[in-house]
Structures are given as structure tokens and as C-alpha cells.
Amino acid sequence: MTAAQANPEALTFECETGNYHTFCPISCVAWLYQKIEDSFFLVIGTKTCGYFLQNAMGVMIFAEPRYAMAELEEGDISAQLNDYEELKRLCLQIKRDRNPSVIVWIGTCTTEIIKMDLEGLAPKLEGEIGIPIVVARANGLDYAFTQGEDTVLAAMATRCPDKAPVVESEKNERNAIQKLLHFGKKKEEVAEEESEYVDHPPLVLFGSLPDPVVTQLTLELKKQGIKVSGWLPSKRFTELPVIEEGYYVVGVNPFLSRTATTLMRRRKCKLIGAPFPIGPDGTRAWIEKICSVFGITPKGLDEREAQIWESLEDYLKLIRGKSVFFMGDNLLEVSLARFLVRCGMIVQEVGIPYMDKRYQAAELALLEKTCLEMGVPLPKIVEKPDNYNQVQRIYELKTDLVITGMAHANPLEARGINTKWSVEFTFAQIHGFTNARDILELVTRPLRRNNSLKDLGWDKLVKEQAQV
Amino acid sequence: MKLAYWMYAGPAHIGTLRVASSFKNVHAIMHAPLGDDYFNVMRSMLERERNFTPVTASIVDRNVLARGSQEKVVDNITRKDQEERPDLIVLTPTCTSSILQEDLQNFVERAQLEAKSDVLLADVNHYRVNELQAADRTLHQIVQYYIEKARKKGELPQAKTEKPSVNIIGISTLGFHNQHDCTELKRLMADLGIEVNAVIPEGASVHELKNLPRAWFNLVPYRELGVLAAQYLEKEFGIPYVDITPMGVVETARCIRKIQQVINAQGADVDYEEFINEQTLYVSQAAWFSRSIDCQNLTGKKAVVFGDSTHAAAMTKILAREMGIHVVWAGTYCKYDADWFRSQVSEYCDEVLITEDHGMIGDAIARVEPSAIFGTQMERHVGKRLDIPCGVIAAPIHIQNFPIGYKPFMGYEGTNQIADLVYNSFTLGMEDHLLEIFGGHDTKEVITKGISADSDLSWNKEAQAELNKIPGFVRGKVKRNTEKFARDRNINVITVEVMYAAKESVGA
């Protein structure tokens, strides 16, 4: 299979067997419990789920995390125990020990199979114990890795207040981002600042990002006179943004299609379909699209983007003309591929767990455009990839860099193939102009490392190279 | 339902996968949803494995839920059969497949018709057994399968090996220091003039299993893995097994004496007493260590021990019997094997704790305030929080517990390693003493950037002289503590009085 070159006209989409490695979507609790400071995540599943969390979260597990397993036992499976009573007992214990503002129940494969009616039990129990209970079915039957966040945010979207409270100015001030931006300023100054914004309908951003990145992107939009009215999720559950009918929403991550759908269908919001703010090209396109929807002419983006690219030159030199292969496991693949094409790399394959062509439409279009402009073949997009087949293709293509999960990274390295562990892209700060360097820091790390080792002569470290 | 953050033993399928992927050319196929193949990450990361982990998943998704796996499992088995040509494919059920109650045995039988490799269904119930029990069962199952297969074909070798020989049973991937222990045990056997007939499962081919009965005896170094297989071989072929873990000087000697007895009963004429004596006195440093002044300082110090049965029992005996350390309590998370554990350690510790609840263990450590902990990674973190040093002696473990240097826990070299671990875990006696007098560790609040702590504060002559009397390795700390004390009270010149006032204030 000498892929990629087949059809330069349009992107090709394929679907394989779905035998690929990825993290279970319950892993989203790891970053969401940190993001939403007053939450508690209860994963209702088995030892298998617990074992995964314990090992995947590594050190975090010892930091008294605000998440726990409700470990199902044989009596729960065979319904000898009453689900409602059991959950009530555990949730009361959580309330007593941690007193969170929200308990998020993460449904797992097991709760799906035994058809535990979490959505039905939650409102009843919520009434009884007085803490909101949000139900997200982030299970491995339906979803991959980052899609877990999507299920949680989609559930949260329905909890956002639908009316701005009466004393609006005060409420605004309590908003974490606003507070940060207005830090140390008097009320009048704040009012004055409001005039720096263009008059546009309220805009709410969705997607969980580390707080510094939230600030960076918010400020980036502020430069264009665009005000971010709220962010789903916010730092605290009690500060979820107001979402009224007719508000505009825009996503910051490519894996949030359910959340987008929920915001459109259930909250009657208007979705701005834009490429995602990953890489300077993506960030610029993202801002431009938002501006265009609000009829704003973007200012100073040319220089801003050019400046960032210039600062990346030392990294770009290392990767220009090199080939990259995404095995696919976290749904950031299309955006990253698009950015790396712009950096001068040749993308051989974009593996991806799930491809929502509607939600990612603008991103796909930008990928296509970027490939044409850079004069490189359009990559093949492989949905539900088959890792075994992919490894055979990697051998054939002699790829310069494989972006893959940890299950394959060491074996590939031992065979002389550079790899970058894909999960790092999910945890690193990669959004906005400011963080473009961080993406390339990750992408070039294996190349830099192997450059410094290259004269040693031990690049293939397995005995039998024979491949069946 | 049980509220849990942390578990000591993993789910059953992990045990099956550990055994299957330890064998050479055996492939495991998990009947599991997406994301349950986390085992591959662990093996690839922790063991730094160069080869692809021979485990794939036959994915359970919505379609499977609605219509059953149908052809999927069979297809995946036959496909893997063609791609990798393994000797054996082990279909591994998970918690998910346990409740789907599909007839996996039927899939195995159907796949067997087409596949060139042998196909087995791992006989483990997710809700009844844990990782360790499942590993033990799976090893037994595979051994039994190949013994019976050979018997049917009339390929079972009849005779024993000419010289005394042993099967080492229970070495597996992701086991705590298993690789190093294995090397050490092989070396020990060579020293004893015993041939190693087979090591299973690590690195073994299933074709070798039919040769197991040729060994004179089986050695089962770990309590958790291999006992079932050894019992089976004893029942079928009358092969005796030695299940004394050769960990620590006394237990290693006991293990060797037992081996001597077992092979002499079969006509060998060996006397290992001289060997044991030589090794104990001159090869292992542990016996000498326990007589040395250093170890004297450990006398009566309090320690607690927690881990799997094998390591927790062995460590308890070493600490109490060989080093004179006071083991306040010893515990294990192997609840299913509690009686054995009690029988092993009762006389060497004040109290025995059997629990899978890490919270309870944490509380028990806080209550006792030992000088050192010997436990798993969880206890290490409890130790960090309570400021008590911890030596890790058992799984669950992190990547730092897969050292690339040679660090066995078993045999005579193992005794040296354990002596180092114990000694380094207790704060060194002398240092400990001096730190106590002069104000303890000050790692929490660094007040100056440099280690030497040059500062604007001046020390008068007497104080400087006094400071210089303090041994070099704690001088910096004493200096910083004193200066911090002085700054807090706006004292500009440090005198001897200030110095000792600082010491007192820390003591208070």
C-alpha cells in the first residue's frame, strides 16, 4: 500500500477494523476533576476501570484526588443489591468527606451492559441528598479517550443556567476569567473596558483547557474586540456560564461533537464551525472565523502569525520534509496533521478513532487547503484504524516520525523508528499562538534525541527483524 | 458497591495476560471493550519491552452488545493465527465479557478447527479471583493442557534427567524483580550442581512443557504464582516441590536444605552444608552486616511491613530474625491466602494485618509511627506524607521498581540487596542522631538559594567555632536553621546562645 499519493484532489476517508489502542474515555476524570475544582467524579465500574485509572494517572492517584471508583461487586451485577441504595450510601459518604458542589457519575461498560439506569436514578438521588448529580456515559463500548470529556461536557451543557441573573454586572464580575482580567480595577474602569468590546451577541466557548490557556485565548479574542461571556466548563461547577437561546458557541477542541450538538439542539445555540486553535495557522483561522461571524475585520493577525512562525524556525528546520504518521488515538490528529503540513512535514496517514465530518468540517477544509498550498499529497484519513495493519504500513513507508500510544512506542523505537507518545499532546498546552512552540517541542523531541545519539550506531535493537 | 481509589491486586485478566505474554510465541486475545488493552502500555513502559506485547483485543462494542460477538472473536483468533503464527492463542475474558455470558468456549472450539495454533479459553471468573489467583490458574491450565496433549500423542518423556534437575515455576512478566531473581536462582542451582530443566512461564515455549516431568523436583519461589501447577505435577507425576522462598539468609539455607532432602530421597547423594556455610559467611554480606556496628544501631527500631504474601513474609522474617528490628505489624493484601501468611509471620511481629484497604494501612502506619516502612508504592507515598522512609518490596510498583541494574531479592546476592535496602531506608544512625540534636531536616522551607547558605547574617567567633564542630554533612542544615531562626526574630549577629535557642525552638 503506497498510500497517500493515490488521489491528490480530495481527502480520502477509510474505515478499518477498529483494532487499535487508545485510553478508555473514563480517563477524562483525570483532567476534569482538576479543571472543575468543586467537583467529585465517581466512576461506576469494575476493578478493570480502577486498575486503568490507577496506573494511567500514576502520581496523581496519591494526591487525594477528587475521584473514586464505585466498584461493582458480584451482588451488584446480579442485582442482589439495590443500585439506588448502594449509590446513595456512597454519595452520602462523598458528601460527608468532601462536600463537593457536583458529583459526576461516569457510566462504564458494565453499567451499560447491566443497564443500570443512571440517568433515571440521578435526579431522584439528587433531590434526596441535595447535591447536583451529572451523568456521563464515558464508556469504552462507544467512545475513545478524549471523547470522555465530550460526554461530560454534553451533560454539563444541560446544567448551564438559561437566564442571566438579575444583577448582571455583579454576576459577570464573579466570572473567573473576567475577574482575572479586571484584577485590581475599579468598577468604573471595568465599565469603561466594556466599551473596548465590539457589540456582538454573547459568545460562549466550550472545551476544558488549563487556566493559563483559557486566559491566553480570551485575551487573544479581546484584541479583536470579542468578549467571551463564559466558558464551558468553568473553574467551578457553580460558575457554569449562562446559555440563552441564540447565543453563539465555538469549540476549542476537535473531539467535542456531542457537546456541540447538545448546545445547538437542546440549548438552541448557534455553532461557529471553525478550525481549532492549535498551531498559529489554526489559531488565526479560528479567530478569523469568529470575527467573520460577528462582522468584525480582524486586526494585526498577519503580523502576529508571522512573528510566531519566525520564532519557530529553529524547530522547523528539524522537521521540514520529514514524514509523519498518526496512528490515531485522541482525535486531535486532524488539527495536528494540518499544523505539521504547514510546518513543512509530509503527513502519510491520519489515523483517528472517530471522524465527525460536520463538526470538523472547517478543520478538514483547512487541512486540504494547507496541503495544496504546501504542495504535498493529501493524507489518507483512517477512521477506526487497525494497529497491526498500520505497523505494516509504517515499515513499508519508512516513516520518519510515528505519533502513537505507549503500547507501540518502545517496540517501534527498538526497530529504529522515531516515535512521539500521543497522549502528551492531550496534557500539554497546545492551544493558541503562545503554545505553538510547545507542540513543536514535543514533535521534535524524538528527532533531537535521536540526532544526538545517531553516531553511536545502535539504532536497531531487536534481534530478529523478520516480519511475517 | 465499594468506594475505592486504589487497589493492590489487579483484575483477573491481568494475571492471565501476564502468564500468557511471559511464554514465548503465545498470543492472548482479550474479549474486551476499547481501552481495556492497557496491559500493553504497562508492559511496554514498565518492562521497557522491545517487542510488541502479544496481546490484542477482540473489541466489544455496541454491535456486539446488540447481536453478540458472532464471527468476530473467531475471526480475530484465526486472523492472529495467520499473522503471527503463535503456538497458542489464549482467549481472555474480562469483566465485560463475564457479564455478557457469551459462549466463549464455543468460539474457541470453532476457531480451533481453522487455526493452526492451539486455542484455549482462560478459565477465570473476573468477580471471584484477582490478578494473582488468575495468573496461578492460567499457568496451571496451560501446563495441564500441554501435558495432556503430549500424553494423548504418547510424547511424554518417561525418564528423569540423569543428573538432579529442577523446574523453576512462577517467573513472569511484570513480576517484582522477577528477571533478576530468575538469574540468581539459576546461578544458585548451578552452584548446587542442579540442572535447570525448565523455567516457566517467562521465556518458555509451550513445546517445552511436555518435558516438565523430567525434572527431579519443582521450585516455586513465589507463593502467588506456580503453586497450582506444582501441585498438579506432584499429583500426576509424583514430582515433589519446594515452596520455601529463598529470600534472606535463613530462608535461603532452609530452601537449600529442603532441596537436598528432596533430591537425596531420589538417589542423589549431596551435602550442601559446606556450601551454605561458605556462602553465608563470605559470599553474602548480610550475616556479617547483622553483626556489624551499623546494624547495632538498628536494634529495636520500629518498622512495619506490607505487600504480597511472599515478600511481606520474607521481609518480616529478615527484619526481625536477621537484623533485630522490631516489626510492629506485618500485613498482606492476599486475603485469600491469609492463613498461610499468619502462620509464616505470627512469631516475628506484634500484629498481623490482612486487608485490601489502603486507607486502613495508611492509618495503621500513622498510628505506629515506625522509623521505616517496607511496602508497596502506596506505602511509599504514605511514608512521604508522614515523612517516614519507605523501601519498596512488593507490587504494585512503578517504573523505578524495574531497575536495569542487577537487583535480585532472592538467593545470596539477594540478601546483599535487601541489606542495602533496609540500611538505606532507615535514616543513617549517626546522621539521624545529629539531626535530632540540631533541628531536623529543613527541606520544607528553603531560605537561601545556595547550599552553602552565604548570607548577610554574621556569626560571631564563638558561634562560628561551634558551628565548625558540627560534622560537615549536617552543618549546612544547622546553619540554615539557625539563620532562619535569627531572621524570624530580627537578630543580626548569631551567637552561641542564638544557635542553641534555635536548636531548642526546633525541638519545641
Side-chain angles (χ1 to χ4, degrees):
Chain A
M1 234 179 277
T2 37
Q5 286 90 342
N7 182 3
E9 310 282 294
L11 289 167
T12 47
F13 294 90
E14 277 180 27
C15 188
E16 279 190 302
T17 58
N19 273 322
Y20 64 102
H21 165 76
T22 183
F23 273 13
C24 174
I26 60 174
S27 52
C28 69
V29 306
W31 64 87
L32 287 175
Y33 94 80
Q34 294 188 37
K35 175 72 195 178
I36 309 169
E37 290 170 358
D38 53 352
S39 61
F40 191 99
F41 285 78
L42 184 66
V43 181
I44 305 164
T46 60
K47 252 186 184 320
T48 305
C49 313
Y51 196 67
F52 164 70
L53 278 179
Q54 170 174 327
N55 286 294
M57 301 314 141
V59 179
M60 270 190 271
I61 204 93
F62 303 108
E64 290 231 18
R66 291 187 316 279
Y67 66 80
M69 291 293 309
E71 194 184 309
L72 300 170
E73 291 165 303
E74 204 164 11
D76 299 302
I77 305 299
S78 52
Q80 282 159 0
L81 297 166
N82 181 313
D83 298 338
Y84 183 79
E85 290 305 322
E86 291 295 299
L87 283 167
K88 183 175 158 190
R89 184 169 57 82
L90 300 192
C91 287
L92 282 173
Q93 192 181 334
I94 293 165
K95 183 183 177 183
R96 195 177 58 235
D97 296 346
R98 306 295 181 99
N99 196 28
S101 309
V102 60
I103 297 177
V104 183
W105 285 354
I106 303 288
T108 62
C109 302
T110 311
T111 57
E112 288 297 311
I113 297 169
I114 63 174
K115 298 190 167 54
M116 193 183 281
D117 180 22
L118 297 178
E119 275 94 346
L121 298 174
K124 222 170 110 192
L125 190 56
E126 183 172 321
E128 201 167 338
I129 69 172
I131 295 180
I133 296 173
V134 171
V135 180
R137 301 180 177 196
N139 61 70
L141 293 169
D142 301 306
Y143 304 109
F145 196 11
T146 49
Q147 287 180 292
E149 174 180 324
D150 194 21
T151 62
V152 173
L153 295 189
M156 292 256 176
T158 60
R159 297 298 185 118
C160 292
D162 53 5
K163 271 277 175 314
V166 197
V167 206
E168 192 167 344
S169 60
E170 248 177 59
K171 175 72 190 170
N172 270 347
E173 254 184 277
R174 230 178 290 135
N175 180 308
I177 307 152
Q178 296 296 332
K179 216 171 173 178
L180 196 67
L181 297 176
H182 295 157
F183 184 73
K185 286 178 191 154
K186 292 200 193 91
K187 263 224 173 104
E188 310 86 78
E189 283 175 306
V190 172
E192 198 175 302
E193 232 171 52
E194 296 290 306
S195 66
E196 288 173 27
Y197 293 112
V198 178
D199 188 26
H200 64 80
L203 174 70
V204 172
L205 273 50
F206 59 93
S208 164
L209 292 179
D211 295 333
V213 184
V214 166
T215 312
Q216 287 159 9
L217 287 181
T218 308
L219 285 171
E220 216 62 72
L221 289 173
K222 192 181 169 209
K223 284 186 192 153
Q224 307 300 333
I226 297 167
K227 186 178 164 185
V228 177
S229 319
W231 202 299
L232 174 72
S234 37
K235 264 172 91 81
R236 303 178 68 80
F237 180 76
T238 48
E239 289 162 359
L240 279 179
V242 173
I243 297 181
E244 288 183 48
E245 192 174 331
Y247 273 27
Y248 281 81
V249 290
V250 64
V252 296
N253 265 325
F255 44 77
L256 298 172
S257 45
R258 291 191 134 241
T259 311
T261 312
T262 308
L263 288 167
M264 286 192 294
R265 299 216 179 122
R266 301 199 42 192
R267 307 306 304 256
K268 310 275 183 262
C269 295
K270 291 175 186 145
L271 177 72
I272 301 175
F276 301 99
I278 292 169
D281 50 337
T283 308
R284 180 196 173 146
W286 184 71
I287 296 172
E288 280 179 342
K289 184 63 192 284
I290 298 171
C291 286
S292 81
V293 169
F294 292 145
I296 299 168
T297 318
K299 311 175 281 244
L301 282 181
D302 274 337
E303 302 82 57
R304 185 109 169 87
E305 196 196 343
Q307 204 184 356
I308 298 290
W309 282 115
E310 207 176 301
S311 71
L312 297 178
E313 186 52 34
D314 52 335
Y315 280 149
L316 296 178
K317 269 194 287 209
L318 293 169
I319 52 172
R320 237 173 238 134
K322 295 240 159 62
S323 58
V324 58
F325 191 112
F326 287 88
M327 286 185 75
D329 70 349
N330 60 14
L331 284 95
L332 295 170
E333 292 87 2
V334 176
S335 308
L336 288 172
R338 177 261 303 150
F339 169 57
L340 292 182
V341 169
R342 180 59 74 188
C343 291
M345 294 189 88
I346 298 151
V347 179
Q348 292 171 328
E349 176 166 326
V350 182
I352 187 167
Y354 168 74
M355 183 74 243
D356 185 336
K357 288 187 198 161
R358 281 173 67 200
Y359 177 65
Q360 294 222 42
E363 185 63 271
L364 288 167
L366 184 59
L367 172 64
E368 227 174 274
K369 185 169 153 248
T370 308
C371 287
L372 292 177
E373 283 175 11
M374 298 301 290
V376 293
L378 286 159
K380 181 173 66 164
I381 294 180
V382 180
E383 207 180 343
K384 289 177 176 288
D386 185 297
N387 281 166
Y388 182 86
N389 296 342
Q390 285 185 312
V391 170
Q392 309 308 313
R393 293 201 286 271
I394 288 166
Y395 289 150
E396 242 170 75
L397 293 166
K398 302 203 173 11
T399 306
D400 293 318
L401 177 68
V402 178
I403 296 183
T404 181
M406 203 36 121
H408 295 99
N410 269 338
L412 286 171
E413 288 281 352
R415 285 158 182 78
I417 297 165
N418 297 319
T419 61
K420 180 73 231 143
W421 187 30
S422 55
V423 173
E424 285 194 71
F425 291 102
T426 350
F427 294 118
Q429 304 191 352
I430 61 168
H431 292 76
F433 287 121
T434 326
N435 298 312
R437 219 183 148 72
D438 293 54
I439 309 178
L440 290 185
E441 166 69 28
L442 290 178
V443 170
T444 59
R445 194 175 293 158
L447 302 170
R448 283 180 285 129
R449 195 268 305 264
N450 291 348
N451 258 345
S452 56
L453 303 183
K454 72 171 183 289
D455 295 331
L456 297 174
W458 53 63
D459 56 342
K460 288 209 174 64
L461 293 145
V462 275
K463 275 182 194 152
E464 63 278 77
Q465 263 300 96
Q467 285 301 321
V468 189
Chain B
M1 270 180 222
K2 194 165 80 179
L3 197 63
Y5 305 88
W6 169 268
M7 68 187 77
Y8 285 104
H13 71 268
I14 298 288
T16 296
L17 297 179
R18 274 178 55 188
V19 167
S21 61
S22 292
F23 278 108
K24 233 179 352 202
N25 213 23
V26 170
H27 202 101
I29 295 185
M30 301 167 67
H31 188 239
L34 198 64
D36 274 5
D37 59 351
Y38 191 72
F39 177 79
N40 298 30
V41 177
M42 290 182 57
R43 187 152 183 274
S44 179
M45 277 191 75
L46 299 179
E47 295 261 33
R48 292 182 201 85
E49 182 53 58
R50 301 178 198 209
N51 287 308
F52 291 97
T53 302
V55 173
T56 42
S58 174
I59 303 282
V60 175
D61 58 15
R62 276 287 154 192
N63 290 329
V64 170
L65 225 52
R67 309 177 304 136
S69 293
Q70 296 188 344
E71 300 305 314
K72 201 169 181 178
V73 174
V74 178
D75 286 349
N76 276 315
I77 294 174
T78 51
R79 178 186 157 185
K80 203 38 79 182
D81 178 53
Q82 284 158 15
E83 284 169 356
E84 310 263 355
R85 295 260 167 254
D87 297 322
L88 167 69
I89 293 177
V90 179
L91 182 60
T92 309
T94 59
C95 57
T96 307
S97 56
S98 288
I99 39 180
L100 282 176
Q101 299 191 329
E102 285 193 83
D103 190 356
L104 295 179
Q105 188 58 48
N106 175 36
F107 295 151
V108 163
E109 274 152 27
R110 277 170 51 204
Q112 184 68 88
L113 297 176
E114 258 183 77
K116 286 211 172 63
S117 55
D118 298 314
V119 190
L120 267 182
L121 172 66
D123 182 19
V124 291
N125 180 328
H126 187 92
Y127 294 92
R128 305 251 164 106
V129 296
N130 69 17
E131 169 187 353
L132 303 170
Q133 295 163 291
D136 205 11
R137 279 167 197 235
T138 303
L139 182 60
H140 169 217
Q141 194 186 356
I142 292 176
V143 167
Q144 184 174 22
Y145 179 86
Y146 281 97
I147 293 287
E148 276 169 14
K149 189 176 172 185
R151 184 178 277 150
K152 238 177 254 164
K153 287 190 178 170
E155 287 176 353
L156 272 186
Q158 295 306 315
K160 297 276 175 202
T161 55
E162 208 174 304
K163 283 194 198 153
S165 64
V166 61
N167 300 318
I168 300 174
I169 301 182
I171 308 290
S172 82
T173 189
L174 290 174
F176 183 72
H177 291 240
N178 270 206
Q179 306 285 357
H180 308 298
D181 283 348
C182 183
T183 308
E184 187 63 22
L185 289 176
K186 281 185 191 164
R187 186 179 289 174
L188 181 61
M189 292 305 130
D191 288 349
L192 297 176
I194 295 171
E195 281 173 10
V196 175
N197 183 57
V199 175
I200 60 168
E202 184 63 39
S205 154
V206 289
H207 301 309
E208 295 167 27
L209 294 176
K210 63 170 183 289
N211 293 325
L212 290 177
R214 286 172 56 84
W216 289 34
F217 71 101
N218 292 317
L219 177 62
V220 186
Y222 304 108
R223 176 74 191 165
E224 292 79 17
L225 175 55
V227 176
L228 285 180
Q231 284 169 345
Y232 166 77
L233 291 168
E234 182 177 52
K235 197 179 103 222
E236 289 293 310
F237 304 101
I239 308 175
Y241 67 91
V242 176
D243 62 351
I244 299 165
T245 304
M247 201 182 295
V249 178
V250 179
E251 289 298 288
T252 304
R254 202 159 75 88
C255 178
I256 295 173
R257 289 193 182 108
K258 178 76 184 173
I259 291 172
Q260 172 181 318
Q261 183 199 332
V262 160
I263 58 175
N264 280 348
Q266 296 176 62
D269 180 24
V270 293
D271 181 0
Y272 292 137
E273 284 308 322
E274 184 55 29
F275 174 79
I276 292 171
N277 198 41
E278 171 80 11
Q279 294 282 320
T280 305
L281 294 183
Y282 307 114
V283 175
S284 165
Q285 298 294 322
W288 158 236
F289 172 76
S290 59
R291 296 270 168 191
S292 72
I293 297 299
D294 282 329
C295 198
Q296 207 177 78
N297 281 335
L298 300 182
T299 306
K301 288 231 177 198
K302 284 195 289 185
V304 297
V305 180
F306 191 75
D308 59 23
S309 322
T310 304
H311 292 88
M315 274 313 284
T316 306
K317 291 182 206 166
I318 293 169
L319 292 172
R321 190 164 56 184
E322 297 177 19
M323 296 182 178
I325 290 162
H326 176 197
V327 179
V328 186
W329 55 257
T332 181
Y333 53 83
C334 297
K335 274 170 93 169
Y336 62 94
D337 203 19
D339 293 341
W340 181 85
F341 186 76
R342 272 203 193 87
S343 73
Q344 293 293 306
V345 303
S346 292
E347 56 177 311
Y348 300 108
C349 59
D350 303 349
E351 193 189 341
V352 177
L353 278 182
I354 311 283
T355 180
E356 291 174 324
D357 179 356
H358 69 88
M360 196 179 140
I361 291 301
D363 291 345
I365 293 172
R367 167 166 54 84
V368 169
E369 291 189 73
S371 309
I373 307 166
F374 297 92
T376 71
Q377 277 291 336
M378 192 67 197
E379 283 67 50
R380 191 174 74 86
H381 283 265
V382 172
K384 261 188 176 171
R385 197 176 296 169
L386 299 175
D387 215 6
I388 302 170
C390 176
V392 175
I393 56 148
I397 39 185
H398 287 335
I399 193 151
Q400 65 264 40
N401 304 114
F402 289 87
I404 44 183
Y406 185 52
K407 293 209 157 52
F409 269 62
M410 290 184 180
Y412 286 107
E413 177 55 25
T415 62
N416 293 337
Q417 297 293 334
I418 292 172
D420 277 344
L421 178 78
V422 172
Y423 187 61
N424 292 334
S425 297
F426 285 97
T427 317
L428 306 182
M430 193 67 159
E431 181 183 19
D432 191 20
H433 190 56
L434 287 162
L435 287 174
E436 228 163 71
I437 295 175
F438 289 103
H441 290 276
D442 62 352
T443 43
K444 278 195 190 109
E445 208 172 341
V446 179
I447 44 169
T448 50
K449 273 202 178 145
I451 299 292
S452 60
D454 284 328
S455 72
D456 49 339
L457 285 165
S458 63
W459 289 63
N460 75 6
K461 228 166 95 196
E462 290 79 0
Q464 188 66 52
E466 190 69 25
L467 182 68
N468 287 342
K469 284 185 210 156
I470 294 165
F473 58 92
V474 282
R475 199 180 299 147
K477 277 170 187 160
V478 173
K479 189 170 181 216
R480 278 198 298 278
N481 275 341
T482 311
E483 293 187 351
K484 181 179 177 296
F485 174 84
R487 272 199 195 88
D488 289 347
R489 283 160 187 77
N490 290 320
I491 298 169
N492 294 321
V493 179
I494 294 169
T495 60
V496 177
E497 284 82 353
V498 173
M499 225 178 132
Y500 286 102
K503 194 206 109 189
E504 282 157 24
S505 89
V506 174

